[in-house]
Amino acid sequence: MPINNKTNLTVPEHIRKLCDLSDEATCVIDSEGNFIYANKHIEYFYKMDTKALLHTHVLKNPIRSKFLTDESLLSTGTVGLDAIHYKRPIHNFGLYDKTQAVMLNAFPYFDFQTREMYVFIQHTKCDQLQQKLLENYRETLRKGIEFSNEGIAGFPSSIIAIDSAMKDLLHMLKKAALRESNVLLLGETGVGKEVLARGIHAVSKRCDGPFIPVNCGSIPAELFESEFFGYEKGAFTSAAQTKPGYFELANSGTIFLDELGELPLNFQVKLLRVLENRECRRLGGRKSIKLDFRVVAATNKKLMDEVHAGKFRSDLYYRLNVISATIPPLRERKKDILPLANSFIDYFNHKENLNKRLSREAARHLEQYDWPGNIRELRNTIERSIALAPGVIIDREDLNISKDININDNFCSSLASLVGDYEKGIIQERISQLGSIRKAAKSLGVSHATLLRKLDKSRRVP
């Protein structure tokens, strides 16, 4: 079906003619990702009125709504935005209506008459071989975490281990999980000790039982006994009803003692008794309760130093330190940084119904950063970037992490680069305020093409 005349007037004649020349289902988007024209083959290809497509965005339109874009990581519809951003042809596959594999080819086109950029997007049906390869590719991506953790089946997909040292650690923890021995996880803050503790529980024979996490550092000293052992109704003034303690709640499952080094010294002997006898008595209670639980503990402190300083009981230390594992910091797991970052991006994209992703420069910056806050800092950085990045592409400046990765950078900045950084900041702030590159260009008194060129130049310069 031809486009209505009112719409045609907004599209240059030669752009429409170029699009109509194609024997494939072809549409055109402007530099902001909005569909402005589609040839007659689009209607036959997708069995839809092309009017429904015009003036919609590549991330939200009637075609995209039927493309499969699940955890397989296939990003259909964004080839146009990639072509705009990288100024080069982009190719990708997608699965339409759950049955038809489609090849998407995006070609950027700079109009020297209007000084505007357009992208032509061709949609081509895949033959049976291509479709089979696509389905296999989707399945491979979907199970990518399982493949990367081959032989460590059972660990949650949130535990990513591409780095060889981390893989070795997971293999060891899997063997430990199948036993009943206590496990002590060591490592810096934010390395993912609780995630690994949950993984141990998931692999163990107790996986159907409860997993009870306890942050020992967040419990006031006077409440340790009531929180861990529970209490009977009337045991003290505010005990209006009976409450089971953490050990009871963990019965037949796993109790995770996080921040173990924060346990008060006077409580440690009582905890040791429970670990040895596997029973406890509620405050105000008369009978001991038999328990069946497994302990996984974690700390970022050097417990042996605490033992020598008289701040931690040696008998409790040896009771808990049957199997110990030191989790490497993220700066020593460079191969895991981008897979972890992409997993967080997928999570927040799905949560917020977005489709943002990293630029190459941003990805390189993530790999070079030292991550003193480890995985927790990486997750927070990605969440903040997803929320605040003005466009679909998350650039280096959107990460808002230390730029002083190489100290020599501070002494090698030329006047031109310093001026460029200042100019880039003004442009990005104006785009953020007005929500459009076109409006930002008008307010700054430059052409749309000039602003695009300046943005592209700033992205190429490290």
Side-chain angles (χ1 to χ4, degrees):
M1 179 179 292
I3 311 301
N4 62 68
N5 292 331
K6 183 178 179 181
T7 303
N8 286 343
L9 294 176
T10 66
V11 184
E13 178 70 17
H14 61 288
I15 295 295
R16 292 192 293 110
K17 286 184 177 180
L18 281 172
C19 186
D20 290 337
L21 280 174
S22 175
D23 293 330
E24 304 287 349
T26 306
C27 51
V28 185
I29 63 174
D30 62 19
S31 59
E32 294 181 357
N34 300 305
F35 287 102
I36 60 172
Y37 190 75
N39 66 14
K40 62 182 180 180
H41 299 295
I42 285 286
E43 179 174 328
Y44 305 140
F45 193 96
Y46 290 112
K47 298 179 176 59
M48 61 171 289
D49 189 336
T50 51
K51 292 178 182 178
L53 181 64
L54 299 181
H55 304 302
T56 62
H57 194 268
V58 290
L59 294 179
K60 191 174 183 181
N61 60 76
I63 292 178
R64 182 176 175 79
S65 63
K66 290 190 177 182
F67 265 98
L68 192 59
T69 56
D70 56 7
E71 71 277 4
S72 65
L73 309 182
L74 287 172
S75 53
T76 58
T78 60
V79 288
L81 295 180
D82 281 342
I84 293 170
H85 181 73
Y86 295 112
K87 306 291 189 298
R88 62 177 175 82
I90 300 293
H91 313 284
N92 205 345
F93 287 97
L95 195 63
Y96 184 72
D97 206 18
K98 299 182 179 180
T99 57
Q100 178 59 56
V102 179
M103 177 177 287
L104 300 165
N105 301 298
F107 301 94
Y109 176 86
F110 185 76
D111 189 341
F112 291 97
Q113 295 180 17
T114 62
R115 302 189 67 79
E116 297 285 348
M117 174 170 282
Y118 303 95
V119 175
F120 290 77
I121 305 176
Q122 287 186 333
H123 305 243
T124 308
K125 287 185 178 180
C126 297
D127 58 31
Q128 289 184 349
L129 174 60
Q130 290 173 317
Q131 178 141 348
K132 190 66 178 177
L133 291 173
L134 173 62
E135 291 171 355
N136 180 265
Y137 175 61
R138 289 185 63 253
E139 186 69 10
T140 300
L141 288 173
R142 188 178 70 81
K143 293 185 175 181
I145 300 302
E146 295 177 23
F147 291 164
S148 68
N149 290 348
E150 185 178 357
I152 321 175
F155 275 98
S157 60
S158 56
I159 301 177
I160 292 177
I162 308 299
D163 181 83
S164 58
M166 194 63 192
K167 275 189 173 183
D168 291 342
L169 179 67
L170 289 185
H171 281 295
M172 186 272 283
L173 288 180
K174 180 183 178 181
K175 293 179 181 178
L178 298 176
R179 304 293 181 263
E180 287 292 295
S181 303
N182 296 332
V183 177
L184 179 61
L185 300 175
L186 307 171
E188 298 176 6
T189 298
V191 293
K193 292 187 283 290
E194 181 172 343
V195 175
L196 283 179
R198 291 182 182 274
I200 291 171
H201 175 72
V203 174
S204 74
K205 299 174 183 178
R206 298 175 176 270
C207 60
D208 294 329
F211 177 86
I212 306 298
V214 182
N215 189 328
C216 301
S218 65
I219 303 174
E222 64 274 11
L223 297 182
F224 267 89
E225 288 192 52
S226 61
E227 290 296 310
F228 275 91
F229 305 148
Y231 52 81
E232 297 287 350
K233 179 179 179 180
F236 44 86
T237 305
S238 59
Q241 59 184 8
T242 298
K243 178 186 174 182
Y246 291 133
F247 283 115
E248 278 188 75
L249 295 174
N251 200 27
S252 75
T254 303
I255 185 169
F256 173 55
L257 304 179
D258 198 10
E259 303 295 344
L260 182 68
E262 303 302 323
L263 285 173
L265 196 59
N266 62 347
F267 179 73
Q268 292 177 23
V269 64
K270 299 176 182 179
L271 175 60
L272 179 63
R273 188 178 301 118
V274 174
L275 296 181
E276 289 178 341
N277 300 330
R278 286 299 195 270
E279 63 179 28
C280 72
R281 181 182 299 178
R282 294 175 183 165
L283 293 182
R286 296 182 178 181
K287 295 182 179 180
S288 294
I289 302 171
K290 291 291 184 181
L291 299 170
D292 174 29
F293 58 83
R294 199 258 185 89
V295 178
V296 178
T299 181
N300 59 358
K301 291 186 175 183
K302 295 181 178 180
L303 283 187
M304 185 52 70
D305 292 345
E306 298 288 298
V307 170
H308 293 155
K311 297 179 181 179
F312 201 89
R313 293 181 61 93
S314 60
D315 46 4
L316 179 59
Y317 170 74
Y318 290 115
R319 170 64 66 176
L320 293 172
N321 189 26
V322 178
I323 299 175
S324 66
T326 301
I327 307 168
L330 191 54
R331 62 182 173 274
E332 296 178 7
R333 301 169 52 189
K334 292 292 187 180
K335 291 182 180 179
D336 291 342
I337 292 176
L338 283 185
L340 282 165
N342 286 324
S343 72
F344 294 142
I345 289 173
D346 292 339
Y347 171 78
F348 290 115
N349 273 338
H350 179 75
K351 183 178 179 181
E352 303 293 339
N353 194 25
L354 298 171
N355 194 31
K356 297 190 177 186
R357 58 204 182 281
L358 294 168
S359 70
R360 293 179 181 179
E361 180 62 23
R364 186 177 72 87
H365 196 57
L366 289 178
E367 287 184 309
Q368 292 181 337
Y369 184 57
D370 274 345
W371 299 108
N374 292 296
I375 298 175
R376 184 180 295 126
E377 183 185 3
L378 174 61
R379 188 182 192 277
N380 291 344
T381 296
I382 295 300
E383 183 177 8
R384 181 177 61 248
S385 302
I386 290 285
L388 300 181
V392 174
I393 303 296
I394 299 173
D395 277 320
R396 169 175 171 165
E397 55 270 17
D398 298 321
L399 298 174
N400 195 26
I401 55 178
S402 172
K403 296 182 180 180
D404 300 328
I405 293 174
N406 186 342
I407 193 169
N408 292 326
D409 290 345
N410 295 331
F411 301 98
C412 297
S413 297
S414 65
L415 177 62
S417 65
L418 291 172
V419 172
D421 287 343
Y422 180 70
E423 183 181 69
K424 181 172 62 175
I426 292 175
I427 292 172
Q428 289 172 342
E429 181 179 1
R430 194 62 57 88
I431 293 173
S432 178
Q433 290 173 347
L434 300 177
S436 164
I437 296 177
R438 197 179 302 277
K439 291 178 181 178
K442 185 176 181 181
S443 71
L444 292 171
V446 297
S447 70
H448 181 238
T450 298
L451 202 64
L452 283 174
R453 187 169 61 254
K454 288 180 177 295
L455 283 173
D456 182 56
K457 181 179 178 182
S458 69
R459 285 166 179 157
R460 291 198 304 266
V461 178

